[in-house]
Amino acid sequence: MSTLEHHTPGSGPVDEHGQRPLVSVVIPCLNEEENIEACVGQALRAMSDAGIPGEVVVADNASTDRSAALAAAAGARVIHEPRRGYGSAYLAGFAAARGTYIVMGDADLTYDFNEIPRFVAELDKGAELVMGDRMGNIQPGAMPWLHRYVGNPVLSGILNGFFKTGISDAHCGMRALRRDVLPRLDLRTTGMEFASEMVIRAGKEKLRIAEFPIDYHPRGGESKLNTWRDGWRHLRFLLVHSPTHLFVLPGALLAALGLIITAVSITGLEVFGRRWQLHTTVGGSMLMIVGVQVVALGLCAHAYGAYFMGEKDPWFDRMRARFRLEHGLMLGMSVTLAGLITGLVILAMWIQNGFGSLSEERMAIVATTGVTIGLQVIFSSFLLSILGLRRIADTGS
Ligand SMILES: Nc1nc2c(ncn2[C@@H]2O[C@H](COP(=O)(O)OP(=O)(O)O)[C@@H](O)[C@H]2O)c(=O)[nH]1
Ligand SMILES: [Mg+2]
């Protein structure tokens, strides 16, 4: 059975001939006059050879060269997106696409559009997102050393560590997806981090993801990628979308370390062959205060994601089911009280020695740290509760 026969038509708006293409190949384009004709031609040929009803949409990102005219002449539908950026270009291209499936690829001849039928076949088999994987088949000169051995593996590693997507090449620009999953993906980013955003959102939405190896060829024309600016945009995106890794884990680690250091220094335990004194207590106290504050920020960031961004967050849901505002307040008050009592003990000692000179610095640090952390917990609990008000107002629960 040919691809043509067993496909139900796309659900999008029809074209000028009353047809709905099965596949829209969307190509973002910024000044690619050396390559764009060949890309469009290759994509159209690959689809007609395989009997796949398709269109090519070129999202021209205000190119200042002849890219747009050349793309149209080669048979693409050209749409114009003046807002610069890889993500902006794709968002405009997706909005214009009419096919049931969307195949994505750069306008630089690095990807072989003859792979389109393989991507379509995976979607036919039930995948909702299909990723190319370039890492085993990078042709000489196609990818700079820094991207091949540092940028891509490190960023893909962090992405998989944070979001557990299990995708080998998270920045591969050749991919395919069902157009009807776009509302679930709810993509927003405008720059190169769009590539990461799609993968992360697909992971969070538990889309069925397939991947297979593809070749990566040297680029024609000039690269639009800026190693440090775009690398940082990816990393920043990963961090701000994972409050657990940005705040909760580092904060908990700092607080735990601070607690151990403080405990060792005030009990006078011998560690590494010596006793640790006042300065160590000051350091431990600082770590505890910062750690607790960072964990609180992380909880608020989780609440923001869950309540305001509509993100699925099973961990935060479990926390929410278990702990209420009153739990936070009780904890905060207990810690504050413990600090105050320690302070009162010092006061009592001072009174006892007739208001003479006092040298209870370590206990004073413990007292102030307790009060500080206790108050932080109380006020952070209120803030968390405020963030949740919207949900209560929305659902009446
Ligand atoms: N970086 C970048 N690429 C854009 C933009 N608008 C469209 N593109 C296209 O997005 C694709 C990816 O860019 P490219 O330079 O190939 O980056 P790389 O594949 O990550 O090395 C190319 O087809 C560009 O022409 C933009 O504003 N910035
Ligand atoms: Mg490219």
Side-chain angles (χ1 to χ4, degrees), residues 34-105:
E34 289 178 41
N35 316 303
I36 190 69
E37 269 181 301
C39 290
V40 172
Q42 196 181 51
L44 287 172
R45 245 186 339 271
M47 288 190 286
S48 71
D49 287 354
I52 299 171
E55 61 169 359
V56 174
V57 176
V58 168
D60 185 60
N61 219 184
S63 295
T64 50
D65 66 4
R66 295 178 302 140
S67 294
L70 292 171
R77 191 150 62 85
V78 179
I79 55 129
H80 299 275
E81 174 51 72
R83 285 165 296 186
R84 276 280 157 85
Y86 176 80
S88 295
Y90 262 124
L91 288 173
F94 288 175
R98 297 184 284 227
T100 308
Y101 299 157
I102 291 174
V103 176
M104 305 163 54

Side-chain angles (χ1 to χ4, degrees), residues 1 13 46 56-57 73 95 105 128 160 221 256 278 286 314 328 339 355 377 391:
M1 199 190 303
V56 174
V57 176
E128 291 165 301
N160 282 318
L278 189 60
M286 187 269 290
F355 303 103
V377 171
R391 187 186 63 96

Side-chain angles (χ1 to χ4, degrees), residues 169-187:
D169 182 10
H171 308 105
C172 183
M174 190 163 197
R175 2 177 128 183
L177 68 160
R178 297 186 56 91
R179 192 159 60 87
D180 59 11
V181 302
L182 283 172
R184 283 167 68 195
L185 292 180
D186 191 23
L187 303 167

Side-chain angles (χ1 to χ4, degrees), residues 6-312:
H6 75 277
H7 279 299
T8 49
S11 58
V14 292
D15 68 11
E16 56 275 19
H17 310 295
Q19 303 279 311
R20 288 193 185 95
L22 173 69
V23 175
S24 295
V25 178
V26 179
I27 304 180
C29 175
L30 172 62
N31 296 333
E32 304 278 6
E33 65 182 359
E34 289 178 41
N35 316 303
I36 190 69
E37 269 181 301
C39 290
V40 172
Q42 196 181 51
L44 287 172
R45 245 186 339 271
M47 288 190 286
S48 71
D49 287 354
I52 299 171
E55 61 169 359
V56 174
V57 176
V58 168
D60 185 60
N61 219 184
S63 295
T64 50
D65 66 4
R66 295 178 302 140
S67 294
L70 292 171
R77 191 150 62 85
V78 179
I79 55 129
H80 299 275
E81 174 51 72
R83 285 165 296 186
R84 276 280 157 85
Y86 176 80
S88 295
Y90 262 124
L91 288 173
F94 288 175
R98 297 184 284 227
T100 308
Y101 299 157
I102 291 174
V103 176
M104 305 163 54
D106 287 3
D108 57 6
L109 291 176
T110 48
Y111 300 104
D112 183 355
F113 287 104
N114 291 308
E115 301 280 12
I116 290 172
R118 281 173 80 199
F119 281 89
V120 170
E122 291 295 334
L123 292 169
D124 275 346
K125 279 195 268 168
E128 291 165 301
L129 172 68
V130 188
M131 298 287 304
D133 170 14
R134 303 165 296 176
M135 294 327 255
N137 303 291
I138 299 171
Q139 315 237 320
M143 196 185 283
W145 181 92
L146 190 61
H147 299 179
R148 169 77 185 87
Y149 295 103
V150 185
N152 272 315
V154 168
L155 287 172
S156 283
I158 296 175
L159 188 147
N160 282 318
F162 284 11
F163 303 98
K164 313 272 180 288
T165 63
I167 284 169
S168 316
D169 182 10
H171 308 105
C172 183
M174 190 163 197
R175 2 177 128 183
L177 68 160
R178 297 186 56 91
R179 192 159 60 87
D180 59 11
V181 302
L182 283 172
R184 283 167 68 195
L185 292 180
D186 191 23
L187 303 167
R188 297 152 186 261
T189 51
T190 57
M192 282 286 183
E193 70 281 13
F194 185 80
S196 296
E197 183 186 28
M198 181 181 277
V199 172
I200 292 167
R201 293 286 310 136
K204 285 194 176 174
E205 284 294 316
K206 307 238 178 313
L207 294 194
R208 285 188 296 276
I209 304 177
E211 65 175 1
F212 57 78
I214 58 168
D215 284 344
Y216 192 58
H217 302 269
R219 195 189 201 296
E222 237 174 72
S223 174
K224 312 297 179 303
L225 184 80
N226 176 315
T227 302
W228 298 106
R229 184 199 61 200
D230 291 315
W232 166 241
R233 285 184 75 123
H234 277 281
L235 181 60
R236 189 179 72 172
F237 184 84
L238 300 182
L239 290 172
V240 302
H241 284 79
S242 186
T244 302
H245 298 91
L246 182 61
F247 298 108
V248 179
L249 293 176
L253 204 71
L254 288 180
L257 198 66
L259 186 66
I260 293 168
I261 291 173
T262 309
V264 164
S265 63
I266 58 173
T267 53
L269 266 179
E270 235 180 68
V271 176
F272 301 127
R274 58 159 301 156
R275 286 183 207 286
W276 300 84
Q277 312 277 339
L278 189 60
H279 299 83
T280 313
T281 320
V282 173
S285 154
M286 187 269 290
L287 287 179
M288 276 201 283
I289 292 170
V290 171
V292 170
Q293 187 65 71
V294 171
V295 170
L297 288 174
L299 292 174
C300 291
H302 271 281
Y304 175 77
Y307 299 139
F308 290 83
M309 304 300 287
E311 278 175 12
K312 286 185 191 141

